Amino acid sequence: MTAPDRPVIVWFGRDLRLSDHPALTAAVATSQPILAVYVLDESGTRTRPPGGASRWWLDKSLQHLAESLARLGALLVLRRGDPVEVLAALVRETAATTVFASRDHRPDGASLQQAVSERLAGSGVKLRRFAGAVLFEPEAVATGSGGPFRVFTPFWRACLSRAAPPEPLPAPRALVPYHGPVESERLRDWGLHPSRPDWSAGLASAWHVGEAAAQDALTRFLSQGVAAYAEGRDRPDHVGTSRLSPHLAFGEISARQCWHAARHAADADPRLERGASSFLRELGWREFSAHLLHHFPHLPSAPFKPDFATFPWRQDDAALARWQRGATGYPLIDAGLRELWQTGWMHNRVRMVVASFLVKHLLIPWQAGEAWFWDTLVDADLANNVCGWQWVAGCGADAAPYFRIFNPIMQGRKFDPDGAYVRRWLPELARLPTDVLHAPWEASAATRADAGLAPGSGTYPEPIVAHAAARERALAALRQKNDTSGEFSQSG
Ligand code: FAD
């Protein structure tokens, strides 16, 4: 086989799209035949395996990617196993000259790519990695002294002072597909879609998966949502955010595409400027999380602030199970956890409150909540999830102080003032009057009976802990941690 007939491999990962895909564009530019491959590694030895909701999404996303490639005449080859072994075998089988991939800057993904690169180098084949998963590569943004940022606002200011990220690339209109013999596993044999039981009906009705759906979601958000985003993004009772997070997590859309589309929308209509900047700032938190995880690779398992290692967490499996099921007796918390269970997503404001409830009201370690979110979120993303949890738990970079303890009743009244969110996810409370909806135990016996909530009926649980007592217990735990670490205690 002559060199131009030998294929190049495009190794897909968390970049399940054809547009703005620099690795694919560069592979196509070689004019060599393209062999697209996705490798599923469920062993957990190199990277953290996807949770249940992510597996559901991945199944659909791979179908869409395979269909898009098929329209260009190319096959998406599916293989399972250690990517180092799988790619080395594919190179051997096809005599591929180069492997193209999007750069993975997560610590475990980066070491995997390094291992692949070293293994292929042994056969004279190069792994070429291309930027594009984030707006700014994690090491491109640095403090004045050249180190990583630890605080969001100066980090984002530094990002904004840089040249804008490159304009997104179009999807290739044509490519030379590889037609040599190569075996692919069948997606349906991977069992990514749940069975026995199939719990995914709620996910299917909440989401359209794939690159085209991601572009539609962005277009819809910029035409309908962004105008009121700055004011509305904290309200879980209506659709005020983009809901792009699973598409971004799987790379069905790139952050650069979101950036440029938002900038163009605001340039065309200055009334959208406030919403667009606020949306880009949230993308900035995604950047910040990626930056932190890159520079502090221990974050998935250890607190950013080391003194939190001595925090007196409790192990309470029964309380954790009630929290997971959405049966804490606090309506906003339970509504959020039911939304998560049914749709694989939860509004950001509610994520903050339910996470705070776990680590402060119940004193359960943030890692337990992070693991639950990892399994149940369709947008599960290592950097965002770990940094989100550490932020709430007070142990992360630029975190909310631990002593600032959300009151779940007040949060409900403020951000779900008419109770539409709680009524939607907790139909058993739907008939309660709004003034007691976020604290059903405050309703008179007659009101509760009228609403079908007679005591002892088991319709809705009593609070798992009383807010005031739980708050005191959390502050006492903080003092105990500070006494051990010698830190000055502050509470308020
Ligand atoms: P929008 O408000 O439309 O924001 C646009 C995009 O910006 C999002 O899609 C997301 O990519 C990014 N973004 C927004 N807020 C944040 C944030 N606080 N941190 C990082 N990126 C952000 N997000 C995930 O993508 N995956 C996770 O696993 C995840 N776990 C979280 C865990 C906790 C405890 C908390 C408090 C937050 C977590 N987030 C996570 C961040 C945030 O809640 C979601 O990104 C957001 O709710 C997604 O909805 P959206 O796409 O409509 O957001």
Side-chain angles (χ1 to χ4, degrees), residues 13 15 21 59 62 72 95-96 123 130 136 262 284 298 307 351 375 488:
D15 52 355
H21 195 303
D59 183 56
L62 287 173
L72 296 172
S123 14
F130 292 80
F136 307 98
H298 61 275
D307 60 306
R351 287 187 207 205
D375 197 28
F488 167 69

Side-chain angles (χ1 to χ4, degrees), residues 448-464:
R448 291 181 78 166
D450 276 354
L453 283 179
S457 66
T459 320
Y460 189 65
E462 294 299 312
I464 186 169

Side-chain angles (χ1 to χ4, degrees), residues 229 241-245 282 345 348 351 379 381 384-385:
Y229 178 81
T241 64
S242 71
R243 297 175 67 100
L244 280 165
S245 51
E282 292 311 307
W345 187 86
N348 180 59
R351 287 187 207 205
D379 64 23
D381 171 274
N384 283 356
N385 202 31

Side-chain angles (χ1 to χ4, degrees), residues 151-174:
V151 180
F152 174 73
T153 302
F155 167 80
W156 189 233
R157 209 182 299 126
C159 290
L160 293 178
S161 70
R162 297 178 59 83
E167 285 276 348
L169 299 162
R173 285 167 175 236

Side-chain angles (χ1 to χ4, degrees), residues 303-311 394-395 478 481-482 484-485 487:
F304 179 85
K305 294 185 182 156
D307 60 306
F308 266 83
T310 61
F311 193 90
C395 59
L478 179 67
K481 186 271 292 176
N482 289 349
T484 333
S485 67
E487 187 180 320

Side-chain angles (χ1 to χ4, degrees), residues 307-308 310-313 359-360 363 393 401-405 468-492:
D307 60 306
F308 266 83
T310 61
F311 193 90
W313 301 111
V359 296
K360 299 182 183 178
L363 285 180
Y402 187 92
F403 61 77
R404 203 167 293 150
I405 296 175
R471 184 173 181 282
E472 284 314 311
R473 183 174 68 170
L475 293 174
L478 179 67
R479 279 192 297 274
Q480 191 182 326
K481 186 271 292 176
N482 289 349
D483 288 347
T484 333
S485 67
E487 187 180 320
F488 167 69
S489 282
Q490 186 180 16
S491 59

